[in-house]
Amino acid sequence: MITDSAILDAFFEECDDLLAALTEGLSDMCDGQTDDETVNAVFRAVHSIKGAAGAFSMEELVGFAHKFETVLDALRAGRLAPDTELLRVLQRAGDILSDLVDNARDDVPADRDKVDPVLDDLQGFLGEETAEEAEFTFEALSLDFDGPATGATYVVQFQPGAEFYASGNDPLLILRALRELGPTSVSCDDHLLPDSLAAFDCAAGYLRWTVEVPDQLNDLRIREVFEFVEDLCAFEVHELEPEQVEPVGIPQIADDLGQAETSMVEPEPEAPAVAKAAPAKAEKQERAAKKSGSTLRVDPERVDRLINAVGELIINQSVISQRIEEAGLPSSSDIFSDLDDYKLLAREIQEGVMAIRAQPVKPLFQRMLRIAREAADTTGKDVIITTEGEATEVDKIVVERLADPLTHMIRNAIDHGIESPEKRAETQKPAKGTLTLRASQSSGSIVIQIVDDGAGLNRERIKEIAANKGLINADAPLSEAEIDQLLFAPGFSTASTVTNLSGRGVGMDVVKTAITELGGKIAISSVTGEGTTFSITLPLTLAVMDGMVINVNNQTMVVPIASILETIRPQAADLAKIGPHNDLLRIRGEYVPIVDLAHRLGNGPPNRDLSQRVLLLVHSETVAQCALAVDEIFDQRQVVVKSMIGNYGAIPGVSGATILGDGKIALIVDPEYVTAGANITALQSPHAIEEAAHVRQA
């Protein structure tokens, strides 16, 4: 029975890191990187999970990991070839291992219907001679070294630090694990023990050990013993030269125990065996520094409290700015310089705090790769899955809430988008389909794309199904973009039968709702016979953004800076009209539609005196450029975004709200919604535009 939940939590956190390394290594192997270093990295990840799980008596996890690592051991020993079938089974085994870790975390039994077939596949590569290992238990790790020694002898020198003991580790377990590798010789150095009991610190590490381990082909298994504690103790491993018949003494380690916790002091020059290991030691320490020194685990709740405090700081900054403006102080006053410093400091704090919660999309993409593999296996399709931009960082909350929408979209892309091998052969396409996950940053937003090279959208069938379901009139004149948007209608599905992947009429509408709740937008681009691209645009963070404060019909509102290209005071010669209600702005030889923001949001009739107003040239996913007509621009500032969906539901044209310096509430405009009503059909006729311009000028 586990009583120390903190240790168990640390185990699962370490498992998450090891599973990420495992997934990355298996992906590299599938890409052709089957060198010893990559295979060993994968082996170490599985072995480390097995070893730690054994300490907690997680038998199902240990048994599967043992079979998994046995196959990997045969691969790295050259007894198995890294062919396509083996790599496929190894990837599937990695997925099952992740499931078993989740089962252990949730304390639920494993799904034997999923686990057993993969175990059988792994056993198929091992042959009958290892069949007896099916009843493997953790205690079976002990090895018999009664025969004559044929390998080299290695010397292990280690000193546990305070963190080693604080995390519940025991040096005796390390010594026993080394003993399982063969008959060992152990000596202990206790000269660091204090002379008096009063000076004794029970949290410190005073003892240092030297262990000789004979009959080893290399030091890999020895280093695996320290896999979980290498950052918590000072240790090094080196091989004894054949002529050395006496154990090498412990090199001098600094009496400063804080230094000893993280690194060993450079060995004496006259000790050739220790000096020989120095380069490898330095490389190991560098890897350890990258692994532990650059990472700090923080409770997400603490980060959220810090972000809320930063939000209040930004609001307070706005309040101070408002008070100074109301006081009518001269612009030469030093208070304005101090206020600028305050704004700069607040922005730096905000960016730093957001960076704490930002994380790369790589873990999310790795999860999606598994979803894609399972969907491909279910549908019997051969799909090559690639990723781009895995290092792109985004708010952790955004990453977490993207998992379900991406799952729906990837399954749909494989089930409906990519054709079967037979149909692809008919159109002279490669038998293997391609699915690409791509992430990038653009204009203060993150863009995630799901790209397939399938048949593209069958818009005639989409329109027909929508009409049959009563979503549209059969004779409704719809553009391609409007037909594409029917995919997001509730209850819409192109599947003729219900399967595990699709056909229930639930999916893409859920996707759009989830993306909208994150303050994002989704767009579709499809070419018949060539494939489809779904593009999701999301804010980098959900807490703070840069906005332009405007006046619209005596209402103060905020437009996201990321959507604004420029601001314009139009002249009469820059304005044109098509039809009775469509206004155009001529800018740099092009014409863009003008949308009266007040009228678009339902606040009175449009004001036609556009030459007396300010135009915001914006861009969105649906419109390349559009001009929003507003009455006045007040300021450009950072604003704290407050969601309104929980209290008021989705409000068309409004993506959130914020608190201004004077305490008033300002709504944040949704550029995607307000520009969606722009009539840009006329822009496809240059002759009509020029004729309208001449009429206007006349």
Side-chain angles (χ1 to χ4, degrees):
M1 184 68 180
I2 302 301
T3 57
D4 193 341
S5 60
I7 297 178
L8 193 60
D9 290 342
F11 161 71
F12 286 120
E13 289 177 355
E14 188 71 18
C15 280
D16 291 339
D17 294 339
L18 292 169
L19 288 172
L22 172 64
T23 302
E24 182 177 1
L26 291 174
S27 178
D28 291 340
M29 291 172 63
C30 290
D31 291 338
Q33 301 179 31
T34 55
D35 55 277
D36 292 343
E37 183 178 352
T38 303
V39 177
N40 285 336
V42 173
F43 177 87
R44 285 194 297 271
V46 178
H47 181 78
S48 298
I49 292 175
K50 183 191 77 171
F56 294 105
S57 301
M58 300 175 181
E59 297 180 0
E60 289 183 326
L61 178 55
V62 171
F64 184 87
H66 175 68
K67 187 72 65 178
F68 192 177
E69 74 166 356
T70 303
V71 175
L72 290 169
D73 192 40
L75 175 62
R76 66 178 184 169
R79 296 192 299 272
L80 292 176
D83 55 24
T84 303
E85 181 60 21
L86 175 61
L87 294 177
R88 184 191 68 81
V89 173
L90 292 179
Q91 278 200 320
R92 190 74 187 107
D95 296 340
I96 295 299
L97 187 66
S98 178
D99 286 343
L100 291 173
V101 171
D102 291 338
N103 293 337
R105 181 187 282 114
D106 300 333
D107 195 21
V108 297
D111 185 349
R112 304 310 308 181
D113 291 339
K114 290 184 178 180
V115 176
D116 292 341
V118 180
L119 278 175
D120 293 340
D121 289 341
L122 292 172
Q123 184 61 48
F125 288 103
L126 297 175
E128 297 180 358
E129 67 274 10
T130 57
E132 68 275 7
E133 293 184 358
E135 299 300 325
F136 169 80
T137 60
F138 183 71
E139 288 73 19
L141 283 172
S142 298
L143 303 177
D144 186 7
F145 283 88
D146 294 337
T150 58
T153 297
Y154 286 84
V155 174
V156 184
Q157 301 165 336
F158 80 102
Q159 176 181 357
E163 294 182 1
F164 179 94
Y165 297 105
S167 56
N169 292 289
D170 188 344
L172 182 59
L173 297 179
I174 299 293
L175 298 176
R176 286 176 177 173
L178 293 173
R179 179 65 182 83
E180 291 177 350
L181 303 181
T184 58
S185 173
V186 182
S187 62
C188 179
D189 182 356
D190 60 358
H191 84 275
L192 291 179
L193 283 171
D195 296 332
S196 64
L197 186 61
F200 184 82
D201 182 3
C202 61
Y206 297 107
L207 303 180
R208 298 179 291 191
W209 283 269
T210 297
V211 185
E212 285 190 14
V213 186
D215 193 24
Q216 301 297 309
L217 296 179
N218 53 50
D219 65 349
L220 181 61
R221 291 186 177 275
I222 297 175
R223 294 187 180 277
E224 287 170 355
V225 172
F226 291 88
E227 187 78 34
F228 265 82
V229 297
E230 62 180 349
D231 303 328
L232 306 178
C233 66
F235 88 99
E236 64 177 33
V237 182
H238 59 267
E239 179 183 351
L240 275 181
E241 298 295 336
E243 62 272 13
Q244 290 182 284
V245 294
E246 296 183 359
V248 175
I250 300 177
Q252 181 180 359
I253 301 179
D255 289 340
D256 181 358
L257 292 177
Q259 178 181 352
E261 289 174 9
T262 57
S263 63
M264 299 286 286
V265 172
E266 287 297 323
E268 297 289 343
E270 60 269 21
V274 178
K276 179 180 179 180
K281 176 186 126 181
E283 181 180 352
K284 184 71 173 180
Q285 288 177 345
E286 182 179 354
R287 290 198 302 267
K290 290 181 179 179
K291 178 180 178 182
S292 60
S294 61
T295 302
L296 175 66
R297 298 187 187 277
V298 180
D299 186 348
E301 184 178 349
R302 295 185 179 182
V303 179
D304 290 340
R305 290 201 301 267
L306 182 58
I307 289 176
N308 291 334
V310 171
E312 295 302 321
L313 176 66
I314 294 174
I315 293 175
N316 181 258
Q317 167 207 311
S318 299
V319 171
I320 294 175
S321 300
Q322 185 78 18
R323 296 292 183 266
I324 292 175
E325 183 177 344
E326 293 173 352
L329 297 177
S331 58
S332 59
S333 174
D334 291 340
I335 192 66
F336 287 99
S337 176
D338 295 336
L339 181 61
D340 290 339
D341 293 340
Y342 181 22
K343 291 180 179 179
L344 179 60
L345 179 60
R347 176 176 289 274
E348 289 180 352
I349 295 175
Q350 180 258 325
E351 292 176 351
V353 172
M354 293 307 163
I356 294 176
R357 200 166 66 175
Q359 70 176 43
V361 297
K362 182 176 182 178
L364 175 64
F365 277 12
Q366 288 179 340
R367 292 172 59 188
M368 294 304 107
L369 290 178
R370 175 182 177 178
I371 298 297
R373 288 196 299 269
E374 292 177 345
D377 291 342
T378 301
T379 57
K381 297 176 181 179
D382 198 353
V383 182
I384 300 174
I385 308 160
T386 62
T387 60
E388 299 176 10
E390 291 181 329
T392 304
E393 291 189 340
V394 68
D395 193 300
K396 184 177 184 294
I397 295 180
V398 175
V399 172
E400 292 174 348
R401 293 169 63 180
L402 268 179
D404 288 341
L406 285 183
T407 297
H408 283 297
M409 298 174 70
I410 288 173
R411 286 176 173 171
N412 280 346
I414 294 177
D415 192 21
H416 299 303
I418 297 177
E419 313 95 323
S420 64
E422 296 77 16
K423 290 185 178 180
R424 292 180 69 87
E426 293 175 2
T427 56
Q428 298 182 345
K429 284 185 174 182
K432 293 184 177 180
T434 301
L435 180 70
T436 301
L437 297 178
R438 182 181 300 133
S440 61
Q441 288 188 10
S442 175
S443 301
S445 301
I446 181 174
V447 179
I448 295 180
Q449 294 180 316
I450 299 95
V451 184
D452 68 70
D453 68 343
L457 297 180
N458 187 339
R459 293 186 172 93
E460 292 183 0
R461 175 169 167 74
I462 292 174
K463 186 176 180 180
E464 178 184 351
I465 293 175
N468 292 337
K469 291 181 176 290
L471 300 175
I472 59 170
N473 294 326
D475 56 350
L478 300 178
S479 65
E480 290 185 351
E482 291 171 330
I483 294 176
D484 294 345
Q485 291 299 314
L486 292 174
L487 293 175
F488 301 111
F492 183 89
S493 176
T494 59
S496 56
T497 58
V498 175
T499 67
N500 291 334
L501 294 181
S502 59
R504 302 183 185 276
V506 178
M508 295 306 289
D509 61 319
V510 175
V511 168
K512 186 171 184 179
T513 300
I515 299 300
T516 301
E517 290 178 352
L518 287 172
K521 300 297 174 184
I522 183 169
I524 306 174
S525 174
S526 181
V527 178
T528 302
E530 296 183 9
T532 304
T533 298
F534 287 87
S535 299
I536 301 174
T537 304
L538 296 162
L540 289 174
T541 177
L542 302 180
V544 179
M545 75 170 191
D546 288 315
M548 184 168 288
V549 184
I550 61 172
N551 176 29
V552 180
N553 203 4
N554 296 322
Q555 296 291 325
T556 302
M557 308 188 77
V558 178
V559 179
I561 286 291
S563 301
I564 301 176
L565 299 175
E566 60 182 298
T567 60
I568 302 168
R569 282 279 189 184
Q571 302 295 321
D574 299 327
L575 303 172
K577 187 184 296 293
I578 292 182
H581 302 298
N582 297 321
D583 294 295
L584 301 175
L585 170 68
R586 181 177 181 178
I587 177 171
R588 289 183 286 275
E590 297 182 358
Y591 287 86
V592 298
I594 298 176
V595 174
D596 187 293
L597 186 56
H599 178 62
R600 183 76 176 95
L601 296 176
N603 193 358
N607 185 344
R608 294 301 175 189
D609 191 9
L610 294 175
S611 61
Q612 303 300 318
R613 307 181 71 188
V614 181
L615 300 182
L616 304 180
L617 190 64
V618 301
H619 69 93
S620 65
E621 289 296 324
T622 56
V623 180
Q625 289 186 4
C626 180
L628 299 183
V630 302
D631 296 329
E632 189 178 1
I633 295 176
F634 290 138
D635 192 10
Q636 176 181 329
R637 67 180 64 168
Q638 278 189 313
V639 297
V640 179
V641 180
K642 303 291 185 181
S643 176
M644 301 176 64
I645 293 179
N647 295 323
Y648 302 100
I651 303 175
V654 175
S655 60
T658 188
I659 302 174
L660 300 178
D662 57 3
K664 294 182 179 179
I665 304 298
L667 300 180
I668 300 175
V669 176
D670 180 359
E672 296 290 339
Y673 176 86
V674 298
T675 58
N679 187 349
I680 61 173
T681 305
L683 301 184
Q684 300 173 358
S685 174
H687 297 293
I689 294 175
E690 292 298 331
E691 182 179 352
H694 289 307
V695 170
R696 180 82 180 197
Q697 293 172 0

